[in-house]
């Protein structure tokens, strides 16, 4: 057994996130630094969570994902319905994952120690961290694409350098590389300033994009004339039960798209003053906000057909078609800033906590984030989001691994532990600790996670395209049922906590 040490605030690594937690005497140094410890102060209000979701929803990735649903053969109104149902599901699932972190003031990799064990939590942390690396790269690429548009509009002579065939490497043009790395550095600079600076940044991003989206939609509607806008944009005519089946698939894709931020949400819910603040912010930022966003996406995409002669589902490409250089630059920069905002909070902050959790003494929150940033370049993310088909395959694969982590967390916290957590035992390696299990690992949670991921990936690799869209649900359901069933049948495998979290 590893003895715990006196990891007092003066002994433990300081909070590089800028928001220190309370490191108590007796917390083990292998499990603790000020970034991972329970927060001393929880100050986020409902607007901060509202702004978080505005940035997430309004990103270029969100717009492109919504637009890609047209490729499934759905009419515009069907896309709208699918978006709304999908986001409502996300709203309720986010509330479930937010509660344990808000109640304890701890990020996801720490609260997952409840179900996986104090050392076993490194397994979901690493899985989630690697997934966040992929998403971080994808969103950085989408933001850099906006910068490419701006550069070409201001300096048309750069066009040859935007061609992969003439000046390209690893599937990206020279200009694309320059813009990608520029976005990479800019995001790192914001991240380095800490969580309060990040909060200020996202408080601005979401509303700023709304202004541009309303102006863009209004301009296109005026140019096209409302009578010339046909909301039936699909080349495939689906009807009856056939269209319902495709809509269900689209709903599953929406949940898969938000599965990353949904699992990561505990990293931000921990800052909430009360759970009520978190739920109110979620409601404003998800169902309510998404109604407006979905309408804007559908109307804007539909209006591109009569105005430009073709359907454009990428907002940056839509902006690029405008005659005004000022409008192109303003629009592209706004979408770029919004994408940077959500990328930092959803895909930079979370792996920072995840990788720091692996070795808190040597890997700070900042270092964890930079590990993710470097990894995002190595995966060449532009190859993961190059077409609607590739987008859906990417979402299916990521969902297959995220779903089981979600299923285990929810089953364990709500059904096995009944919402009770012994916070101090999350930071001890003593054998009699509530979450020590078997040498720091809970084999039940690990088996359930592996089984859920294997079943879900088998569906993605060998099943139909329709079935693959449900990878998140399949992985989550398998892991949820297995963890709950095995935990209940194993006497003594899930010790009853002796104290509440709050």
């Amino acid at each position: 057994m590893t003895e715990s040490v006196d990891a007092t605030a003066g002994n433990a690594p300081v909070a590089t996130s800028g928001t220190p937690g309370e490191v108590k005497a007796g917390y083990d140094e292998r499990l603790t630094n000020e970034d991972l410890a329970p927060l001393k102060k929880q100050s986020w209000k409902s607007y901060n969570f509202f702004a978080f979701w505005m940035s997430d929803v309004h990103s270029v990735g969100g717009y492109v994902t919504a637009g890609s649903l047209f490729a499934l053969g759905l009419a515009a109104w069907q896309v709208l319905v699918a978006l709304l149902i999908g986001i409502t599901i996300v709203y309720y699932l986010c509330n479930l994952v937010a509660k344990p972190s808000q109640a304890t003031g701890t990020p996801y990799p720490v609260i997952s120690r409840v179900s996986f064990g104090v050392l076993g939590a490194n397994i979901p942390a690493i899985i989630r961290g690697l997934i966040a690396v992929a998403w971080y790269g994808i969103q950085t690429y989408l933001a850099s694409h906006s910068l490419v548009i701006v550069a070409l509009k201001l300096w048309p002579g750069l066009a040859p350098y935007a061609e992969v065939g003439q000046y390209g490497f690893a599937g990206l043009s020279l200009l694309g590389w320059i813009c990608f790395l520029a976005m990479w550095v800019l995001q790192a600079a914001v991240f380095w300033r800490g969580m309060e600076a990040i909060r200020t940044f996202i408080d601005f991003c979401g509303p700023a994009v709304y202004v541009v989206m309303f102006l863009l939609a209004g301009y296109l509607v005026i140019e096209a004339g409302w009578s010339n806008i046909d909301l039936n944009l699909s080349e495939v005519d689906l009807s009856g039960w056939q269209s319902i089946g495709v809509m269900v698939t689209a709903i599953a894709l929406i949940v898969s798209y938000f599965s990353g931020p949904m699992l990561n949400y505990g990293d931000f819910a921990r800052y909430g003053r009360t759970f009520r603040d978190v739920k109110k912010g979620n409601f404003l930022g998800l169902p309510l906000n998404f109604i407006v966003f979905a309408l804007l996406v559908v109307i804007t995409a539909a209006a591109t057909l009569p105005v430009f002669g073709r359907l454009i589902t990428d907002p940056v490409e839509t902006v690029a078609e405008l005659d005004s250089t000022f409008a192109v630059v303003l629009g592209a920069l706004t979408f770029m800033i919004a994408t940077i905002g959500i990328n930092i909070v959803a895909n930079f902050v979370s792996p920072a906590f995840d990788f720091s959790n692996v070795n808190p003494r040597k890997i700070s929150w900042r270092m964890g984030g930079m590990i993710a940033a470097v990894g995002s370049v190595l995966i060449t993310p532009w190859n993961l989001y190059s077409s609607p088909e590739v987008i859906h395959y990417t979402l299916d694969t990521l969902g297959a691994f995220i779903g089981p982590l979600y299923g285990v967390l929810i089953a364990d916290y709500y059904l096995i532990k009944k919402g009770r957590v012994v916070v101090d035992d999350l930071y001890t390696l003593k054998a009699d600790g509530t979450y020590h299990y078997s040498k720091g690992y809970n084999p039940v949670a690990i088996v359930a996670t592996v089984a859920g991921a294997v079943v879900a990936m088998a569906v993605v690799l060998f099943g139909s395209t329709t079935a693959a869209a449900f990878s998140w649900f399949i992985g989550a359901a398998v892991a949820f049922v297995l963890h709950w069933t095995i935990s209940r049948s194993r006497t003594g495998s899930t010790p009853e906590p002796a104290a509440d979290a709050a």
Side-chain angles (χ1 to χ4, degrees):
M1 179 182 74
T2 302
E3 294 294 326
S4 63
V5 299
D6 185 9
T8 60
N11 212 9
V14 298
T16 56
S17 65
T19 52
E22 182 181 2
V23 180
K24 297 182 181 179
Y27 281 11
D28 197 286
E29 63 178 354
R30 291 181 59 186
L31 302 172
T32 312
N33 61 32
E34 285 193 352
D35 292 309
L36 298 175
L39 287 174
K40 296 178 181 178
K41 181 180 180 182
Q42 295 168 287
S43 59
W44 285 33
K45 302 177 182 178
S46 57
Y47 175 78
N48 301 122
F49 296 107
F50 175 35
F52 171 94
W53 287 118
M54 274 199 291
S55 293
D56 194 351
V57 169
H58 303 171
S59 68
V60 175
Y63 194 114
V64 171
T65 300
S68 70
L69 299 183
F70 289 111
L72 295 176
L74 295 176
W77 71 268
Q78 293 171 322
V79 170
L80 178 61
V81 171
L83 289 172
L84 295 180
I85 295 176
I87 207 65
T88 301
I89 293 173
V90 171
Y91 164 70
Y92 285 106
L93 295 178
C94 276
N95 287 342
L96 290 176
V97 82
K99 188 174 183 178
S101 284
Q102 191 283 323
T104 60
T106 60
Y108 169 80
V110 173
I111 200 63
S112 66
R113 294 172 186 175
V114 174
S115 51
F116 284 88
V118 289
L119 295 179
N122 284 327
I123 296 173
I126 291 173
I127 293 173
R128 193 187 72 146
L130 294 176
I131 291 173
V133 168
W135 271 119
Y136 181 79
I138 290 170
Q139 293 282 19
T140 301
Y141 163 66
L142 293 173
S144 70
H145 183 57
S146 301
L147 190 55
V148 170
I149 297 297
V150 172
L152 292 177
K153 195 69 176 182
L154 296 177
W155 303 287
L158 294 176
Y161 299 98
E163 295 293 332
V164 179
Q166 296 187 49
Y167 300 93
F169 172 70
L172 190 64
S173 67
L174 176 59
L175 182 59
W177 271 105
I178 293 173
C179 292
F180 181 86
L181 294 177
M183 291 299 96
W184 191 93
V185 172
L186 179 59
Q187 291 173 125
V190 176
F191 168 81
W192 201 262
R193 292 175 61 86
M195 284 301 299
E196 287 306 304
I198 291 172
R199 180 176 70 167
T200 300
F201 188 76
I202 63 173
D203 282 350
F204 160 78
C205 291
V209 174
Y210 250 146
V211 173
V212 173
M213 285 193 66
F214 271 109
L215 290 174
L216 180 61
Y219 170 79
L220 292 176
V221 169
I222 292 173
E223 286 292 307
W226 185 255
S227 60
N228 296 321
I229 297 177
D230 184 3
L231 298 182
N232 185 17
L233 303 174
S234 175
E235 297 179 356
V236 181
D237 186 17
L238 298 177
S239 59
W241 288 107
Q242 188 179 20
S243 63
I244 293 176
V246 176
M247 287 178 68
V248 172
T249 301
I251 292 169
L253 288 172
I254 293 300
V255 177
S256 294
Y257 173 78
F258 284 99
S259 61
M262 190 162 57
L263 184 64
N264 298 346
Y265 197 52
D267 296 333
F268 304 94
R270 70 183 295 226
Y271 295 100
R273 295 184 308 173
T274 65
F275 186 53
R276 182 178 180 181
D277 281 318
V278 176
K279 288 196 297 183
K280 182 178 179 181
N282 288 351
F283 179 76
L284 294 174
L286 287 170
L288 191 61
N289 170 57
F290 210 76
I291 290 174
V292 180
F293 172 77
L295 286 170
L296 286 173
V297 170
V298 170
I299 292 173
T300 302
T304 60
L305 195 56
V307 174
F308 303 120
R310 62 190 181 95
L311 175 64
I312 305 176
T313 57
D314 185 332
V316 178
E317 289 187 19
T318 302
V319 168
E321 293 287 339
L322 302 179
D323 294 331
S324 169
T325 300
F326 173 78
V328 172
V329 173
L330 177 63
L333 287 178
T334 303
F335 282 115
M336 179 187 72
I337 291 172
T339 303
I340 289 174
I342 187 54
N343 207 18
I344 291 173
V345 297
N347 305 313
F348 213 148
V349 170
S350 294
F353 283 123
D354 291 329
F355 295 137
S356 178
N357 187 74
V358 175
N359 193 334
R361 295 291 300 180
K362 295 183 179 180
I363 303 177
S364 68
W365 181 79
R366 282 178 176 169
M367 184 181 294
M370 296 313 296
I371 290 173
V374 172
S376 71
V377 180
L378 301 179
I379 64 170
T380 63
W382 42 89
N383 294 319
L384 300 177
Y385 233 62
S386 56
S387 69
E389 292 75 18
V390 176
I391 289 173
H392 295 162
Y393 184 79
T394 299
L395 293 177
D396 297 340
T397 301
L398 296 179
F401 287 94
I402 295 176
L405 301 181
Y406 187 94
V408 168
L409 175 65
I410 300 305
D412 193 82
Y413 181 77
Y414 288 97
L415 300 183
I416 306 302
K417 304 301 192 303
K418 306 297 184 182
R420 295 188 291 274
V421 177
V422 185
V423 177
D424 289 345
D425 279 10
L426 296 172
Y427 300 92
T428 180
L429 280 169
K430 291 182 178 181
D432 60 352
T434 308
Y435 312 111
H436 189 75
Y437 296 104
S438 176
K439 297 180 180 180
Y441 296 85
N442 183 4
V444 176
I446 296 171
V447 168
T449 299
V450 172
V454 168
V455 172
M457 275 306 300
V459 174
V460 172
L461 295 175
F462 307 111
S464 64
T465 302
T466 300
F470 295 88
S471 62
W472 184 92
F473 292 93
I474 293 170
V478 170
F480 180 97
V481 172
L482 279 179
H483 184 75
W484 183 31
T485 303
I486 299 176
S487 294
R488 291 182 62 192
S489 65
R490 286 168 58 94
T491 303
S493 65
T494 55
E496 194 71 18
D500 289 346

